Amino acid sequence: ETGVTQSPTHLIKTRGQQVTLRCSSQSGHNTVSWYQQALGQGPQFIFQYYREEENGRGNFPPRFSGLQFPNYSSELNVNALELDDSALYLCASSWGAGLNEQFFGPGTRLTVL
Amino acid sequence: AQKVTQAQTEISVVEKEDVTLDCVYETRDTTYYLFWYKQPPSGELVFLIRRNSFDEQNEISGRYSWNFQKSTSSFNFTITASQVVDSAVYFCALRDKETSGSRLTFGEGTQLTVNP
């Protein structure tokens, strides 16, 4: 196991609702990256937080937002949920915002009805 | 822009066969890292290997081996004497400095099924 934890494990929401997903990084890591993995596809980069600041963003609309806390844990918030937001959401922690390995959590499976 | 292509969507082998998973990448950066991850049915991505763009030396780790060739932009992964527990989705990923955030760009994955 990587030491990266995510909650909740599964979540069911309806279209238009808002959701918050949580991630606790591995001890000693100060960077968290979030990825969305639709069924049958590879993970897609959403954004990264380094030392509580957003440090890069993928091609996702502003209704996807995040936070990183002083203990380096992180939240992913999605507003106005759409059916296509149904996916596995993975967070990964690493040390620094460079090219070090990212260690992934088990993911949160979000279903939007 | 970066791109990773895993042309094999699904591969099915019988236990003890050798299997090679192909990965081709595109990047304009001269400094980059390549990764392989394994995703079992539980969903967690398990890190297998990282290679940097300056090290083309092939690597062997137990039953796993990797063949990195910059000339063809390929980073292939071979499992020798496959086992049922190797059944999973395998992802190749690229990480470079071209874009901010040092994001990982993943391929679409190869579903490997090892039958007893």
Side-chain angles (χ1 to χ4, degrees):
Chain A
E1 294 191 1
T2 63
V4 180
T5 60
Q6 292 186 243
S7 62
T9 306
H10 295 87
L11 204 52
I12 299 175
K13 292 285 189 178
T14 56
R15 200 168 41 179
Q17 285 189 311
Q18 177 267 342
V19 69
T20 298
L21 309 182
R22 295 178 175 83
C23 172
S24 291
S25 58
Q26 188 176 107
S27 178
H29 286 179
N30 57 9
T31 304
V32 173
S33 304
W34 286 92
Y35 293 82
Q36 179 196 65
Q37 186 180 16
L39 196 62
Q41 297 183 19
Q44 299 288 317
F45 176 76
I46 303 175
F47 43 57
Q48 181 184 81
Y49 278 85
Y50 171 59
R51 290 184 171 181
E52 302 178 59
E53 297 284 333
E54 187 177 291
N55 181 46
R57 188 179 182 91
N59 189 25
F60 281 82
R63 60 190 184 82
F64 284 78
S65 63
L67 280 175
Q68 187 178 33
F69 301 99
N71 67 354
Y72 303 125
S73 65
S74 178
E75 286 183 355
L76 164 65
N77 300 291
V78 187
N79 294 321
L81 284 167
E82 300 177 359
L83 298 180
D84 285 348
D85 296 333
S86 295
L88 180 67
Y89 288 85
L90 296 161
C91 84
S93 79
S94 58
W95 188 89
L99 298 174
N100 294 316
E101 289 96 309
Q102 295 183 357
F103 295 91
F104 284 82
T108 293
R109 173 73 64 186
L110 172 65
T111 301
V112 182
L113 303 175
Chain B
Q2 320 92 314
K3 185 178 181 182
V4 176
T5 302
Q6 295 179 253
Q8 305 149 308
T9 306
E10 296 182 28
I11 298 176
S12 182
V13 300
V14 176
E15 206 169 17
K16 297 183 182 177
E17 283 185 27
D18 298 348
V19 57
T20 295
L21 309 182
D22 298 333
C23 173
V24 174
Y25 63 92
E26 295 175 31
T27 177
R28 291 179 296 189
D29 216 329
T30 56
T31 302
Y32 54 89
Y33 283 80
L34 295 164
F35 300 79
W36 275 95
Y37 284 87
K38 173 183 179 179
Q39 188 174 44
S42 61
E44 185 168 343
L45 281 168
V46 178
F47 166 77
L48 295 177
I49 191 172
R50 178 187 76 170
R51 299 308 302 267
N52 71 53
S53 51
F54 300 109
D55 182 4
E56 286 191 73
Q57 192 171 21
N58 293 325
E59 182 165 335
I60 298 174
S61 175
R63 295 187 298 108
Y64 297 166
S65 62
W66 289 270
N67 183 358
F68 175 30
Q69 292 191 344
K70 285 179 74 172
S71 61
T72 55
S73 296
S74 66
F75 185 45
N76 297 336
F77 171 37
T78 297
I79 302 174
T80 303
S82 59
Q83 300 176 1
V84 173
V85 293
D86 295 327
S87 297
V89 182
Y90 290 84
F91 290 97
C92 179
L94 167 71
R95 192 167 182 186
D96 61 20
K97 293 182 178 178
E98 184 178 329
T99 53
S100 62
S102 304
R103 70 188 66 180
L104 282 169
T105 298
F106 285 86
E108 293 296 297
T110 298
Q111 170 72 61
L112 172 65
T113 302
V114 181
N115 298 299

